[in-house]
Amino acid sequence: MRALQMVDTKTQYGHIKEEVDQAVLEVMNSSAFINGPAVRDFATQLAEYLSVKHVIPCANGTDALQIALMALDLQPGDEVITPSFTYIATTEVIALLHLKPVFVEVDPRHFCMDPVALEKAITPKTKAIVPVHLYGQASPMQEILSIAARHGIAVVEDNAQAIGCDYTFSNGEKKKTGTMGAIGCTSFYPSKNLGAFGDGGALFTNDDLLAARIQMIANHGQSKRYYHDVVGCNSRLDSIQAAILSIKLRRLDQYNRSRKEVADFYDRAFADCTSLLTPLRSSFSTHVFHQYTLRVTDGSRDDLATFLASRHVPCMIYYPVPGHRQKMFDAFQTSATDLPVTDLLTEQVISLPIHTELDQEQLAFISNAVLDFFKRGA
Ligand SMILES: *Cc1c(COP(=O)(O)O)cnc(C)c1O
């Protein structure tokens, strides 16, 4: 059996090696390393795939979130509502821009923002809402968008974990995650569903004015060279990464299908295990399974992790410390925030290996190890 890994980008590369090597060589021979045609081509292809008007590539997902908030022209102290149960990048950029992160609960079934908690957290100072499509499934966007519209607040979607995911509105209309709010953000970190061979990110919007602002901010605040109208930053996707991403974008739906097949296998394997809650498939969203995250409801999550390590089965806790309990947010006294669902989830969740290269033998080995642990305990 091949060694088990949380992600296996090496085997995945093996399947597309010729195409990727050729594309990288082409960029090297052209020496158009920065803002070359490969970057423009990839942005156009991704915009088409997402059915969104503008895709603005940047250096990584964290930059995308930062640039999105900068483009909204917020004032120091303005409040930004976001889940505490997310990767730190989502919330870190809020504080970095001298805005105030306001943490709200997630729904314990789909792990994304709870719209009831969102509505309660809105104050006259709330200027943005950042839902996160966690683990590969959409936040309840219809509710979130309608609350935001009622209060005139912008929505920035953190789509780093859900590229390719489809959301269905109650009237049957479908949209890709990341294209529903004012701005969508994503990451091309190698382990993401659409991963580069290094860092990368992008912003999406249907708004022409916002697109122009985003472009300008990501490029030192200039729209004409050496004339800098606003304070910006330097955040670019390089041409080699863009060339590789174009090749992988053509396979994204297939990659997401492979992930779903892994999830289906695990779901079947754990269906009768009363100590485990398998991930919910929301009625309003497809699931692209960036992570396969179980809830261990009998208090044995950490023992399970230790047991799996002894069997050489990798697993991860995403995330062990929620945002509101991170030291970096002490200044906002966020540890006093009362988020019992989030706290419970950080004690219960465990993520198993999921990627495009897992075979039946590996899946059987992983799921048997999990089931053995609970048999042993019984
Ligand atoms: C990966 C990730 C990011 C940050 O992306 P980077 O490219 O690593 O900067 C932001 N938010 C979420 C939810 C992520 O998973």
Side-chain angles (χ1 to χ4, degrees):
M1 189 176 71
R2 273 186 294 130
L4 297 169
Q5 294 171 271
M6 284 304 285
V7 284
D8 183 355
T9 47
K10 191 168 177 182
T11 307
Q12 192 189 57
Y13 167 49
H15 298 306
I16 53 173
K17 183 172 169 21
E18 262 175 51
E19 219 179 319
V20 166
D21 291 1
Q22 162 99 27
V24 170
L25 270 177
E26 265 170 38
V27 175
M28 301 225 284
N29 284 320
S30 76
S31 81
F33 299 120
I34 301 292
N35 290 332
V39 178
R40 283 192 298 279
D41 289 350
F42 170 63
T44 306
Q45 292 153 7
L46 184 57
E48 212 165 280
Y49 174 83
L50 295 168
S51 297
V52 72
K53 210 162 164 194
H54 305 277
V55 167
I56 302 106
C58 68
N60 57 67
T62 311
D63 274 10
L65 289 159
Q66 181 186 325
I67 293 165
L69 293 175
M70 287 169 82
L72 295 177
D73 210 9
L74 310 182
Q75 299 307 307
D78 283 350
E79 296 175 3
V80 179
I81 299 177
T82 186
S84 173
F85 193 63
T86 178
Y87 181 52
I88 198 68
T90 319
T91 51
E92 178 185 37
V93 296
I94 299 169
L96 185 73
L97 295 171
H98 301 287
L99 306 167
K100 184 181 174 204
V102 175
F103 293 110
V104 295
E105 279 292 28
V106 289
D107 186 305
R109 295 162 303 171
H110 56 61
F111 307 116
C112 293
M113 184 182 272
D114 175 356
V116 176
L118 162 65
E119 178 113 58
K120 279 197 199 134
I122 290 174
T123 76
K125 298 205 80 175
T126 308
K127 294 294 153 58
I129 299 166
V130 186
V132 183
H133 306 309
L134 202 72
Y135 303 148
Q137 190 162 235
S139 304
M141 289 304 288
Q142 181 150 348
E143 289 84 345
I144 292 170
L145 290 171
S146 95
I147 293 167
R150 213 171 330 118
H151 295 271
I153 303 169
V155 174
V156 173
E157 298 171 71
D158 184 342
N159 197 37
Q161 300 191 1
I163 196 147
C165 172
D166 289 305
Y167 185 89
T168 307
F169 289 86
S170 55
N171 64 3
E173 190 190 359
K174 282 186 201 298
K175 284 190 182 177
K176 293 278 186 210
T177 52
T179 69
M180 293 174 270
I183 306 173
C185 299
T186 206
S187 162
F188 304 122
Y189 185 79
S191 64
K192 299 286 156 86
N193 290 35
L194 180 59
F197 286 20
D199 275 312
L203 299 99
F204 324 133
T205 184
N206 285 306
D207 182 317
D208 296 342
L209 288 175
L210 271 178
R213 259 188 85 75
I214 290 166
Q215 194 94 57
M216 189 155 94
I217 291 167
N219 183 25
H220 299 292
Q222 65 190 340
S223 44
K224 184 176 163 197
R225 205 169 198 185
Y226 304 125
Y227 292 80
H228 305 272
D229 298 344
V230 296
V231 174
C233 56
N234 172 25
S235 189
R236 296 185 283 239
L237 179 70
D238 69 68
S239 303
I240 288 180
Q241 299 307 335
I244 296 169
L245 285 166
S246 282
I247 292 165
K248 293 186 74 175
L249 176 60
R250 293 199 282 277
R251 292 169 174 81
L252 178 59
D253 287 341
Q254 177 200 320
Y255 288 157
N256 284 342
R257 269 197 303 278
S258 304
R259 289 173 175 275
K260 191 179 159 291
E261 281 164 18
V262 171
D264 291 343
F265 186 106
Y266 286 146
D267 277 2
R268 283 193 301 274
F270 306 139
D272 297 329
C273 185
T274 51
S275 301
L276 293 175
L277 277 178
T278 55
L280 174 93
R281 320 275 179 112
S282 299
S283 56
F284 51 77
S285 172
T286 59
H287 203 319
V288 295
F289 285 102
H290 176 61
Q291 299 298 344
Y292 184 86
T293 304
L294 293 159
R295 285 176 61 191
V296 183
T297 53
D298 66 1
S300 68
R301 193 270 313 268
D302 292 342
D303 293 336
L304 171 62
T306 308
F307 180 81
L308 291 178
S310 76
R311 291 274 186 104
H312 305 289
V313 172
C315 64
M316 291 291 282
I317 310 302
Y318 302 115
Y319 296 92
V321 183
H324 73 287
R325 299 203 179 278
Q326 296 288 354
K327 207 170 160 191
M328 68 154 78
F329 296 127
D330 272 359
F332 301 101
Q333 288 194 311
T334 50
S335 56
T337 309
D338 189 26
L339 300 177
V341 173
T342 296
D343 287 335
L344 179 70
L345 290 177
T346 58
E347 288 161 20
Q348 290 190 338
V349 291
I350 188 163
S351 301
L352 297 180
I354 191 161
H355 53 78
T356 57
E357 311 302 322
L358 282 161
D359 61 34
Q360 297 292 307
E361 187 189 12
Q362 292 175 309
L363 288 171
F365 188 89
I366 297 165
S367 44
N368 285 336
V370 172
L371 293 171
D372 282 351
F373 169 78
F374 289 106
K375 267 183 228 146
R376 212 185 51 150

